[in-house]
Amino acid sequence: MRRFRIALLLLAAVIIGAFALRGMRGQVTILMYHHLVPDGGETNSLTVTEGKFRRDMEYLREHGYQTLLPDELNEILRGTQKCPKKAVVISFDDGYQSNYSIAYPVLKENGLRAVIALITANIREEKEENAFMLCWPEVREMSDSGLVSFGSHSHNLHNPDIGGAVRKGPDAVNGVQRLPDEKQVQYAERVGMDIAHSCTMIEQYTGVPVHWFAYPYGAGDRWCEKLLDAMDVTVSVSTQPGIARVGHGVRDLPRYGIREDTDLSDILPS
């Protein structure tokens, strides 16, 4: 009889938990930027102008959107923190110097926050004139402001053997995807050590643990998710368009890539 009562209590807890999960409400839109150029500069799928970025940030501010950092996003999507009605994450990939020289001042002007996923192998030790990528002093300054959080985009897993290009074809292996016939222990050594090194560098220079990982080329792998769990990197994001919803997990989250002709009103809830 006692076992039966315990079983009933456990079943009731499961049912209550399920209804609580179903009762969760809220969604978060994650925007994805890369490089920015001055107005009149050449743009592509990964580049927008300063004017475009400024208009986007003014749109978010004027329409009352609340920008989240990774720790807040994690709590919200897990249902332990209330989701704002207009919740958005401003994210950048790679770590271009324009994130500091162009995006950062605009973020400050509008009181908005963002997360930048760094390819740490490309981050320079000191400032250099006409540099294309960020340097650690710039990273530290932005982190200290409280407006910018930093995540990993790997240390050097953007297909360095072919110059960072994307491999094509149905059998192509990109970024953190497992190699043919690769054992899990081999994968953990190759990919795990790379990500751990990247996270260690970021924490070393910012003093803040890493809780955001952007999959190189948006190509995820379940073995990688296990490694991220072990490292307490709580949120991972892809490049697939869509909305992140409360109660639907914090792995491989969708993001909207922003181009020069993207209208935020077509993406964001009113």
Side-chain angles (χ1 to χ4, degrees):
M1 179 64 70
R2 183 171 179 273
R3 290 182 178 178
F4 179 69
R5 288 175 182 159
I6 292 173
L8 283 178
L9 289 172
L10 290 173
L11 178 60
V14 170
I15 293 173
I16 291 171
F19 275 103
L21 188 63
R22 287 181 59 188
M24 289 180 185
R25 291 290 185 269
Q27 61 185 37
V28 181
T29 306
I30 307 177
L31 310 177
M32 177 178 63
Y33 297 89
H34 288 76
H35 181 40
L36 295 88
V37 295
D39 290 341
E42 183 177 349
T43 62
N44 54 40
S45 62
L46 301 180
T47 303
V48 301
T49 61
E50 177 178 358
K52 162 62 176 170
F53 184 72
R54 184 178 296 278
R55 291 190 297 275
D56 284 354
M57 298 305 101
E58 290 173 349
Y59 180 92
L60 296 179
R61 175 178 54 80
E62 291 168 1
H63 287 79
Y65 286 91
Q66 183 171 331
T67 52
L68 307 176
L69 296 180
D71 285 354
E72 297 166 311
L73 177 66
N74 175 52
E75 295 296 327
I76 287 169
L77 294 185
R78 291 181 186 276
T80 59
Q81 182 175 320
K82 185 177 180 180
C83 183
K85 183 178 180 181
K86 293 184 175 183
V88 65
V89 175
I90 303 166
S91 72
F92 293 86
D93 281 2
D94 300 336
Y96 296 100
Q97 204 279 335
S98 62
N99 297 170
Y100 175 81
S101 60
I102 296 178
Y104 181 46
V106 176
L107 291 171
K108 288 194 291 185
E109 290 170 17
N110 289 279
L112 302 176
R113 302 179 298 168
V115 55
I116 301 174
L118 302 174
I119 304 174
T120 49
N122 295 342
I123 306 305
R124 299 164 297 109
E125 287 294 330
E126 300 294 340
K127 293 187 178 184
E128 299 173 9
E129 190 174 354
N130 300 320
F132 194 54
M133 307 302 290
L134 287 168
C135 66
W136 288 115
E138 292 166 339
V139 170
R140 187 180 300 112
E141 179 185 338
M142 288 190 283
S143 178
D144 288 346
S145 74
L147 294 177
V148 182
S149 177
F150 287 90
S152 171
H153 202 22
S154 84
H155 179 66
N156 196 26
L157 289 176
H158 282 73
N159 301 345
D161 57 318
I162 56 171
V166 181
R167 291 185 174 88
K168 306 289 186 180
D171 300 321
V173 176
N174 289 290
V176 303
Q177 292 178 320
R178 67 193 75 172
L179 302 174
D181 301 321
E182 187 172 33
K183 305 299 184 184
Q184 194 162 3
V185 65
Q186 297 170 320
Y187 180 89
E189 181 175 355
R190 178 178 65 87
V191 174
M193 289 184 65
D194 177 283
I195 297 173
H197 181 56
S198 174
C199 292
T200 297
M201 291 184 72
I202 294 169
E203 184 170 358
Q204 174 186 339
Y205 282 98
T206 66
V208 181
V210 172
H211 295 296
W212 175 276
F213 183 77
Y215 285 112
Y217 309 109
D221 192 292
R222 292 203 177 276
W223 282 0
C224 185
E225 293 177 3
K226 293 181 182 296
L227 295 174
L228 296 175
D229 288 340
M231 297 178 203
D232 198 30
V233 180
T234 49
V235 176
S236 59
V237 293
S238 71
T239 57
Q240 293 299 312
I243 298 292
R245 301 185 185 279
V246 174
H248 287 224
V250 290
R251 291 283 176 235
D252 207 22
L253 298 178
R255 295 185 290 172
Y256 285 103
I258 306 302
R259 304 169 61 115
E260 187 71 11
D261 60 354
T262 301
D263 190 335
L264 290 191
S265 66
D266 293 335
I267 297 173
L268 295 166
S270 57

